[in-house]
Amino acid sequence: GNSQPWRIVVVDSKACRDRIIASFEAENEAAARQYQSEKASLYRQLKLAGLKEAPVHLAIFSDEDPEQGAGLGRMTMPETLAYSTVSMIHTFWLAARAEGVGVGWVSILDPQQVARTLQVDESWRLVAYLCVGYPEEEHVDPELERVRWQARTPLSSRLFHR
Ligand SMILES: Cc1cc2nc3c(=O)[nH]c(=O)nc-3n(C[C@H](O)[C@H](O)[C@H](O)COP(=O)(O)O)c2cc1C
């Protein structure tokens, strides 16, 4: 329905960033406590956000009741609004990488706290909080495999034929 549901908040102010960082630190600590022994200590060594380093912070919301499109195409699958917003993020991510810019998606946040901090409309749902900037390192393989958080699995484990 060409509803263009993405809403992009450029988070510039130190006051807002500080509250986002506090949310990340609280949620990250809560997540760390879900793991035991070796996995817990490895979790605590992971770098799971670049909130303090990234020059640009973008909070991407999806409007769950946009006027644009007048509802066309989303009566059967309203979740397509969020899918549209994710597609926009993916396109942004590819374009950024093509320019040598890095993007980190931070999901270890309380979405309602982020919405309150940024004082957005009630119909906006947080989809992604993005840290954007030039990366300090370039890698081909995922960090979580490099630090042995997870094993590399072949595509065949995710591909099915019927
Ligand atoms: C939906 C989604 C959520 C993510 N959440 C986090 C997160 O909370 N913390 C984190 O360190 N990485 C997270 N990531 C991964 C990073 O965004 C990504 O691996 C990182 O930016 C490195 O970028 P690259 O994969 O282009 O090298 C997430 C990725 C996706 C797709």
Side-chain angles (χ1 to χ4, degrees):
N2 193 28
S3 55
Q4 301 175 24
W6 45 85
R7 304 289 178 260
I8 304 160
V9 180
V10 185
V11 184
D12 289 324
S13 80
K14 186 175 180 314
C16 287
R17 287 189 180 199
D18 283 349
R19 269 180 244 146
I20 302 292
I21 289 168
S23 175
F24 168 76
E25 287 174 350
E27 298 303 327
N28 199 38
E29 178 54 33
R33 276 191 251 114
Q34 301 298 313
Y35 296 100
Q36 267 93 48
S37 57
E38 275 174 39
K39 207 73 172 168
S41 60
L42 181 52
Y43 183 92
R44 288 177 192 280
Q45 289 167 38
L46 298 172
K47 179 172 171 52
L48 294 173
L51 292 162
K52 291 182 182 162
E53 300 86 348
V56 175
H57 286 203
L58 302 178
I60 315 289
F61 294 84
S62 199
D63 190 342
E64 303 206 304
D65 191 21
E67 276 181 31
Q68 265 180 310
L72 191 151
R74 63 179 159 95
M75 297 192 188
T76 41
M77 293 178 65
E79 62 273 28
T80 48
L81 285 169
Y83 297 167
S84 293
T85 301
V86 172
S87 300
M88 168 263 152
I89 293 165
H90 184 251
T91 306
F92 169 78
W93 200 318
L94 293 180
R97 294 306 296 130
E99 301 289 341
V101 174
V103 179
W105 183 325
V106 184
S107 49
I108 307 168
L109 290 169
D110 176 343
Q112 282 168 356
Q113 202 174 327
V114 174
R116 272 197 307 275
T117 296
L118 303 179
Q119 299 178 343
V120 300
D121 201 282
E122 289 221 329
S123 66
W124 297 12
R125 175 156 70 102
L126 182 69
V127 173
Y129 196 93
L130 302 178
C131 293
V132 184
Y134 288 98
E136 290 177 1
E137 299 173 20
E138 296 274 355
H139 294 277
V140 180
D141 50 337
E143 185 170 347
L144 293 180
E145 290 176 8
R146 276 201 312 281
V147 301
R148 299 189 190 283
W149 175 263
Q150 65 185 56
R152 173 169 298 230
T153 52
L155 173 63
S156 59
S157 67
R158 292 180 287 276
L159 183 65
F160 304 92
H161 295 273
R162 294 289 185 271

